[in-house]
Amino acid sequence: MKKALLVLDIQQDYFSEHARMPVAKQQIVPLLKCINDLIEKAIGLDVPVIYIRNEFEWTQLFSNLLRKFTALKGSKGAEYDKRLLQVEGVSFSKNKADAFSNPHLATYLSNNDIHELIVTGVFSEGCVSATVNGALSRNFTVTVVEDAVAGATDNSRNMALSKLATQDVLIYTSQQIFESKSHEGGNRNDHFAKINPAG
């Protein structure tokens, strides 16, 4: 089954020193290391890397207010964080939480016969969960990399992962990705990593 690595919303408005809606600070460095390592492994194994980013329209007034005007189209905050490893790959923008709200993503996956998605990025309680649900509704096999997703707080991250673990989703650490075929086939519920509520 052909797979792809999804990298969601590693953008200045969530990661920079002046982030408008910051990821929990203690999660940033480990998250970026895990994601960059996974990107390197994916490239080495000829697994496509798909970069997704928010580019909200300036006319989305009410939702922009709720999001503290983050990642507005054309703004510096919408740019990828400079620490993110950017390699030759595909990039899609979105203006809703679910990456599949951009129909070009599903078209690309279908055209390239990709049926399994490895999901990383932010926010675990927002766009990550929405994109996972979007993928599941389209019958993709989904793996969430637990140390390569982040949230606004440790608690929100862990709660989101615990909720995802109740769905038809595999939860793995970055060390387990690409290193074993044990997650292919079998009973998916046998493979859930344990989520530590204390972080």
Side-chain angles (χ1 to χ4, degrees):
M1 185 181 295
K2 194 170 178 184
K3 62 186 72 174
L5 177 67
L6 258 60
V7 180
L8 294 172
D9 305 338
I10 310 300
Q11 295 170 263
Q12 301 251 17
D13 266 344
Y14 314 122
F15 286 85
S16 74
E17 189 177 334
H18 304 291
R20 290 175 179 267
M21 188 179 285
V23 170
K25 287 194 183 300
Q26 68 276 12
Q27 295 179 27
I28 291 176
V29 172
L31 173 84
L32 289 169
K33 182 183 184 321
C34 286
I35 290 177
N36 287 341
D37 286 349
L38 287 170
I39 290 170
E40 287 184 343
K41 288 180 183 177
I43 294 304
L45 294 168
D46 202 27
V47 172
V49 178
I50 303 173
Y51 296 93
I52 310 285
R53 68 173 173 168
N54 288 318
E55 284 190 308
F56 298 114
E57 300 292 340
W58 293 77
T59 53
Q60 295 177 258
L61 296 178
F62 181 69
S63 55
N64 284 339
L65 184 63
L66 294 177
R67 287 189 301 267
K68 303 178 183 177
F69 296 92
T70 58
L72 293 173
K73 192 171 185 177
S75 71
K76 189 168 183 62
E79 295 174 4
Y80 290 114
D81 186 277
K82 292 177 174 37
R83 293 164 290 182
L84 175 65
L85 178 61
Q86 294 184 55
V87 298
E88 186 176 342
V90 183
S91 181
F92 295 100
S93 64
K94 60 186 175 68
N95 60 20
K96 294 181 181 174
D98 180 3
F100 286 93
S101 61
N102 182 334
H104 297 299
L105 173 60
T107 300
Y108 171 83
L109 296 172
S110 176
N111 289 344
N112 288 277
D113 200 29
I114 295 168
H115 299 284
E116 181 175 351
L117 301 176
I118 300 164
V119 181
T120 69
V122 298
F123 283 83
S124 51
E125 63 272 31
C127 295
V128 170
S129 293
T131 298
V132 167
N133 288 328
L136 291 175
S137 72
R138 292 166 176 81
N139 297 314
F140 285 93
T141 299
V142 181
T143 300
V144 174
V145 189
E146 69 172 300
D147 52 341
V149 295
T153 66
D154 289 343
N155 189 50
S156 64
R157 175 184 171 276
N158 290 333
M159 285 181 65
L161 284 169
S162 294
K163 186 173 181 181
L164 287 170
T166 67
Q167 300 174 258
D168 197 19
V169 176
L170 298 174
I171 311 284
Y172 279 105
T173 68
S174 58
Q175 291 298 314
Q176 294 170 301
I177 302 296
F178 304 134
E179 293 185 2
S180 169
K181 291 187 178 284
S182 64
H183 65 287
E184 294 179 6
N187 184 345
R188 299 169 66 77
N189 293 324
D190 291 340
H191 303 295
F192 290 135
K194 291 183 179 178
I195 307 302
N196 179 0

